Amino acid sequence: MKDDLVVVVPGIMGTALTRDGLDVWDLTPQALGGALGGRAGKVLKLQKGIGDGDPEPPHALEVGRVIQGARLLPGLVSDTGHGNLAERLGIAPERIAVFRYDWRLSNRNSAEKLARFVDERLSRWQETADPKRFPRARDAKVVFLCRSMGGLVVRYYTEVIGGWQRTRSVVTLGTPFSGSVKALRFLTGQARWVPGFLNEWLHEICSTYPSLGQLLPTYRMVLDPQWGRIQLSADKPVEGLDRWMIEDSAKLFNDIGKAMRKNDAAYGRERYGLFAFGGDRHRTDQAVSFSPAGRPTFHPDWSQSSAPQDRYRPTLGDGTVAHIAQVPPEWGSTGRPIWLDRRHADLINADAAFKQLKHICDDEPLAEALSSEHTVGVDLPDVAVAGEPFEIWATDADDAMRLRVRRLAEDGRCVGDEEMRPCGDGTFRAEARAEPGRWTVEVYSTTASYSCRDVVLVM
């Protein structure tokens, strides 16, 4: 209802983590240059065997501000940011609370902290909201807006901890309900586009983060010559990946599923509303196969599967999470999510998303279907080298869209604008160069209301 409290739960890189006032995960080329050659790795790592606990010195970091601008963790996830959230949603700013947390830690740990945050903020809202403006605030519940991994934190809170009793609805944007093959690629040190030295540095640090291990895929995405399509298992070695991560990811998702089924049986499935937004146009890792020694090979489709029916499975996603993994497993249908044409980094900024989010925040019926008439997919690198060209591709596009690519500085200035050239079969290509920095790259149409953004780190 219009008097509910809206709680925003960011995902990876969504909260600044600081040491002595310095945002240590603000990965600019300058910051990375110092970090790669210094002692930053010891600060960024977590202690061995941390499990669901809190970090000890020197690994403990302070939780800082919510990130509203462009950010990326090269090879895994990017975020174009969001500004003026209350204004764009058309709701009172005092109705919004943002949960800031150390996204490196176990999602169980973060869910416990979220429970305390909700208890305090919801009670305060119920007691102090202006009764003239919000007459039903005394009976308010929480509407969660979750970005990416934030949806897993909320899912554990609602189902395992019992937070559903204080929840009106949960909205997820690009949440990996069944994990992400891209996370497996990242955690085995094979991140796409990322140069070797940076890949090794990120692997060494991020393989200590329980939260990232809990993003490992749990759906049947391993292509096995004997058994067909199977789940990732800790019984077989995976080169570059600790066994405990596979076990922990499986346990997290199993615990959520078991608690959800128990709650559904006792209290009904309609205990709160669940709305999943996803992206389904873009090249996204779908599957993996392993050599006898456990070395992974990643696949963007199911063409290597021995099962003929797999050839008809969806082969796209939002560039980070596969189409099928963005669907809550209990739904059993890919037709129920609200599909958008944006990439993972920019899902929340889609106009169609905001139109629906406004209705959900006010506990009103959803608007009519707002699917885009465009089915364009976009592919571009996470990392590029200063002065050297990098490619941006668009697929399934139409000549009449007259696609272009522009590069935006962190203050929003346009510093480059290139035409995309047709390559046949609905594929378009552009080539860009940039100075060192963190740039937002936007593919847009000059004749239709289409745009798609992501972030590139130029070193």
Side-chain angles (χ1 to χ4, degrees):
M1 59 186 181
K2 295 184 178 181
D3 299 45
D4 283 329
L5 180 69
V6 177
V7 175
V8 180
V9 184
I12 297 166
M13 302 290 281
T15 306
L17 303 179
T18 67
R19 168 68 62 83
D20 298 327
L22 177 66
D23 185 351
V24 298
W25 267 112
D26 186 10
L27 297 185
T28 63
Q30 296 79 10
L32 265 176
L36 291 169
R39 298 169 55 85
K42 293 183 178 180
V43 173
L44 298 175
K45 282 184 179 180
L46 291 174
Q47 71 260 28
K48 187 175 181 180
I50 186 173
D52 297 329
D54 288 318
E56 303 169 354
H59 311 287
L61 297 173
E62 296 174 356
V63 174
R65 64 188 176 88
V66 174
I67 302 300
Q68 295 187 343
R71 279 293 173 99
L72 79 164
L73 183 55
L76 181 60
V77 69
S78 53
D79 190 339
T80 58
H82 59 85
N84 303 318
L85 191 58
E87 181 180 336
R88 294 188 68 184
L89 288 172
I91 64 177
E94 56 265 42
R95 279 186 64 196
I96 293 184
V98 183
F99 175 59
R100 301 174 299 121
Y101 65 104
D102 187 338
W103 45 265
R104 303 175 302 166
L105 307 183
S106 163
N107 287 301
R108 300 183 190 93
N109 180 305
S110 298
E112 294 285 352
K113 290 183 171 70
L114 176 63
R116 295 193 289 272
F117 177 86
V118 169
D119 286 347
E120 191 274 328
R121 293 303 295 267
L122 182 58
S123 296
R124 186 198 307 175
W125 173 249
Q126 291 170 335
E127 295 167 3
T128 63
D130 183 348
K132 293 182 180 180
R133 297 178 62 201
F134 308 103
R136 294 180 292 173
R138 302 299 178 269
D139 300 317
K141 290 188 174 184
V142 173
V143 176
F144 287 104
L145 302 185
C146 316
R147 304 193 70 180
S148 193
M149 189 183 74
L152 298 184
V153 175
V154 170
R155 198 159 168 85
Y156 194 91
Y157 163 73
T158 55
E159 301 299 344
V160 180
I161 299 177
W164 64 267
Q165 298 180 66
R166 313 200 78 176
T167 301
R168 183 81 61 195
S169 57
V170 175
V171 181
T172 64
L173 296 121
T175 288
F177 285 100
S178 301
S180 168
V181 177
K182 191 174 184 180
L184 176 61
R185 179 192 279 275
F186 179 81
L187 289 169
T188 54
Q190 295 194 46
R192 186 170 175 241
W193 304 115
V194 182
F197 65 91
L198 180 56
N199 218 333
E200 294 173 8
W201 185 80
L202 289 169
H203 178 257
E204 179 184 358
I205 292 168
C206 294
S207 60
T208 68
Y209 293 1
S211 63
L212 302 194
Q214 290 167 352
L215 298 180
L216 290 174
T218 58
Y219 62 101
R220 294 188 298 130
M221 36 57 69
V222 177
L223 305 181
D224 185 273
Q226 180 178 2
W227 302 104
R229 185 163 48 85
I230 62 175
Q231 289 180 298
L232 187 66
S233 171
D235 294 336
K236 296 181 179 180
V238 177
E239 184 179 292
L241 188 68
D242 288 332
R243 174 177 175 175
W244 68 265
M245 282 192 164
I246 302 175
E247 295 173 333
D248 190 46
S249 177
K251 186 177 187 309
L252 177 81
F253 286 100
N254 285 339
D255 287 348
I256 292 172
K258 186 186 300 183
M260 182 189 63
R261 290 188 292 272
K262 182 178 178 180
N263 293 331
D264 286 352
Y267 306 104
R269 177 158 289 186
E270 303 303 321
R271 292 169 284 124
Y272 59 90
L274 177 60
F275 305 89
F277 289 72
D280 67 341
R281 311 292 195 198
H282 313 283
R283 182 192 189 278
T284 308
D285 286 329
Q286 303 290 326
V288 64
S289 57
F290 292 99
S291 72
R295 182 165 181 80
T297 299
F298 296 91
H299 304 279
D301 54 40
W302 300 96
S303 60
Q304 301 301 311
S305 173
S306 59
Q309 63 269 27
D310 283 345
R311 309 298 169 84
Y312 303 100
R313 291 188 175 276
T315 60
L316 299 173
D318 65 9
T320 297
V321 185
H323 181 277
I324 190 172
Q326 297 175 75
V327 182
E330 68 271 20
W331 282 5
S333 169
T334 60
R336 290 186 63 181
I338 300 170
W339 296 110
L340 305 169
D341 54 17
R342 299 296 181 95
R343 288 174 64 83
H344 187 86
D346 204 38
L347 282 171
I348 196 172
N349 290 315
D351 289 340
F354 271 101
K355 290 176 182 177
Q356 300 289 27
L357 292 176
K358 164 64 174 165
H359 286 268
I360 297 168
C361 288
D362 291 343
D363 198 27
E364 297 174 346
L366 293 181
E368 294 183 9
L370 296 169
S371 58
S372 171
E373 61 185 81
H374 310 295
T375 60
V376 179
V378 173
D379 196 23
L380 69 165
D382 286 2
V383 181
V385 177
E388 295 187 8
F390 62 92
E391 296 177 324
I392 303 99
W393 291 87
T395 57
D396 299 319
D398 191 294
D399 286 349
M401 294 180 71
R402 298 183 61 184
L403 293 177
R404 298 185 66 87
V405 175
R406 56 187 165 205
R407 181 164 49 92
L408 307 174
E410 295 206 45
D411 60 5
R413 290 179 299 111
C414 178
V415 293
D417 197 320
E418 304 289 337
E419 179 183 3
M420 298 199 77
R421 302 286 185 178
C423 301
D425 296 325
T427 299
F428 291 75
R429 174 185 176 275
E431 196 173 86
R433 288 180 173 83
E435 305 78 28
R438 191 169 49 208
W439 304 95
T440 295
V441 175
E442 179 182 25
V443 174
Y444 71 100
S445 168
T446 59
T447 61
S449 57
Y450 170 82
S451 72
C452 184
R453 293 184 175 190
D454 214 319
V455 184
V456 176
L457 180 68
V458 180
M459 301 181 64

